[in-house]
Amino acid sequence: MAYLLSKENFSKIGEFIYRKSGIYLEEDKHYEKLAKYIDKRSAELGFDNFRKYFFKLRFDDKEGAEFQELMNAITVNETYFFREKDQFEVLVNRILPELHKTMPSSRPLRILSSPCSTGEEPYSIILHIVEEGSVVEQRDIEVVGIDIDSTVIEKAKAAKYTERSVHAIPKNILNKWFKKKSLGYELGEELQGTVDFQVANVFDKTQMRKLGKFDVIFSRNMLIYFDDASRKEVAMTFYDMLNPGGYVLLGHAEYMSRIVSVFKAKKIDNTLIYQK
Ligand SMILES: C[S@@+](CC[C@H](N)C(=O)[O-])C[C@H]1O[C@@H](n2cnc3c(N)ncnc32)[C@H](O)[C@@H]1O
């Protein structure tokens, strides 16, 4: 059976998605997934052709709900606790002690996890901070997690995780901070609510500005879904959102030097960090 989405229209909706979210879809990799989604969504809406669906998406979506549905369907949300763990070590052992000395003591240190998916990354930051202890005892630290996908933000707020998601957490830390449930694990009450989760699109300048200024931005495993122009735009948004002296950390396969040259790269142990 043919899909409502033709290959020709794939490039039209692909261009729309790219412009709004930075996500760059390739026909040979993504056509089928998107076409199946549009068939399903059109059936729910009672539409019998792609044109009606695309019209709604572009011109009859004032609250952005249809675009949100689409984002929830196409994003790749793969994540787990303590992923690329050395970066959390560098954060608590090097970056936070340094920022605690150099940033005005009258305000909290602020960390952004962008994107946070289902919350494993910002909670890994919290777990490292509370386990390490020395800075958090002397200073307020705020952690904010954002993602374009509203379903992952709802899951992050619920703080319930699968065995797979917690597999890399050392057993002593898992037992200390999580409750075992019949299916998986739930973050203990002491740590629930320690991350401020919000739905936000890194390309939406108004949403990003509202989040305020940060001292550290984690942006891991999102830029890989963008093309060069979008990566550059996001890198400059992060630059603007950082306090002078603040840091950006990227995923292991992502390099700021290939995107923009405004940051100073530093290598600590095997971890590259980028300072404003
Ligand atoms: C693979 S996950 C990475 C999660 C976590 N940072 C990690 O490294 O484990 C990528 C996330 O990027 C989010 N994302 C994609 N485009 C985005 C955008 N324009 N604004 C905010 N989040 C976006 C997706 O919804 C997805 O949850």
Side-chain angles (χ1 to χ4, degrees):
M1 198 193 79
Y3 295 117
L4 295 182
L5 179 68
S6 65
K7 297 248 166 147
E8 189 194 30
N9 284 334
F10 176 86
S11 54
K12 284 192 193 151
I13 190 167
E15 160 66 25
F16 174 81
I17 291 170
Y18 169 71
R19 208 161 19 82
K20 298 260 288 187
S21 72
I23 297 172
Y24 182 71
L25 299 179
E26 290 170 63
E27 190 180 303
D28 49 344
K29 284 197 206 146
H30 303 107
Y31 170 74
E32 195 139 325
K33 182 176 175 186
L34 187 59
K36 280 186 179 149
Y37 169 75
I38 289 171
D39 276 7
K40 178 182 137 285
R41 189 66 191 137
S42 297
E44 286 164 5
L45 294 165
F47 296 158
D48 55 5
N49 63 45
F50 171 75
R51 196 174 42 76
K52 289 181 188 165
Y53 170 75
F54 200 33
F55 182 88
K56 177 164 181 63
L57 192 61
R58 285 179 302 165
F59 305 118
D60 186 18
D61 188 29
K62 283 202 186 62
E63 305 295 315
E66 200 53 47
F67 180 67
Q68 185 68 65
E69 288 274 343
L70 175 63
M71 286 300 104
N72 295 356
I74 65 164
T75 51
V76 178
N77 312 116
E78 160 67 15
T79 186
Y80 56 89
F81 280 92
F82 289 33
R83 181 181 198 179
E84 298 169 8
K85 178 174 167 38
D86 48 339
Q87 297 189 327
F88 301 117
E89 302 287 347
V90 167
L91 174 75
V92 292
N93 295 323
R94 306 292 288 271
I95 296 178
L96 289 180
E98 177 193 311
L99 294 178
H100 178 48
K101 283 197 203 122
T102 55
M103 296 293 176
S105 58
S106 53
R107 63 165 181 82
L109 294 177
R110 302 191 75 227
I111 304 172
L112 176 66
S113 165
S114 165
C116 66
S117 187
T118 32
E120 286 87 333
E121 180 177 285
Y123 280 135
S124 296
I125 293 173
I126 295 278
L127 285 166
H128 278 79
I129 290 173
V130 293
E131 280 292 311
E132 191 275 338
S134 72
V135 172
V136 75
E137 277 157 19
Q138 304 166 59
R139 178 110 185 196
D140 271 355
I141 298 178
E142 284 177 17
V143 180
V144 178
I146 64 155
D147 202 286
I148 197 171
D149 183 334
S150 61
T151 57
V152 293
I153 292 295
E154 284 314 307
K155 285 187 186 159
K157 286 181 180 165
K160 293 191 175 69
Y161 293 103
T162 60
E163 290 276 355
R164 205 196 103 54
S165 173
V166 302
H167 78 274
I169 306 180
K171 284 286 163 292
N172 61 325
I173 297 181
L174 185 64
N175 294 337
K176 188 162 150 193
W177 297 107
F178 289 78
K179 276 185 279 182
K180 177 89 186 85
K181 295 283 169 182
S182 50
L183 282 177
Y185 289 83
E186 185 174 349
L187 190 70
E189 271 164 26
E190 329 71 310
L191 294 188
Q192 287 205 25
T194 51
V195 176
D196 174 12
F197 288 111
Q198 301 186 34
V199 180
N201 177 354
V202 291
F203 290 96
D204 186 325
K205 301 270 188 294
T206 315
Q207 285 179 342
M208 295 305 275
R209 210 172 298 122
K210 271 196 197 139
L211 297 171
K213 295 277 182 189
F214 290 88
D215 302 297
V216 183
I217 298 179
F218 276 69
S219 181
R220 308 188 313 163
N221 307 303
M222 172 182 69
L223 298 177
I224 41 175
Y225 300 104
F226 300 165
D227 73 346
D228 285 348
S230 305
R231 285 183 191 130
K232 199 173 224 157
E233 185 177 338
V234 176
M236 289 315 294
T237 300
F238 290 154
Y239 187 82
D240 291 341
M241 290 171 79
L242 273 180
N243 290 311
Y247 289 98
V248 174
L249 288 87
L250 301 179
H252 278 174
E254 299 161 325
Y255 297 93
M256 196 57 99
S257 55
R258 293 188 193 150
I259 308 174
V260 291
S261 54
V262 290
F263 292 97
K264 199 164 21 126
K266 286 188 181 176
K267 197 165 190 183
I268 300 184
D269 304 328
N270 265 331
T271 298
L272 266 175
I273 59 176
Y274 301 93
Q275 189 169 34
K276 174 168 175 176

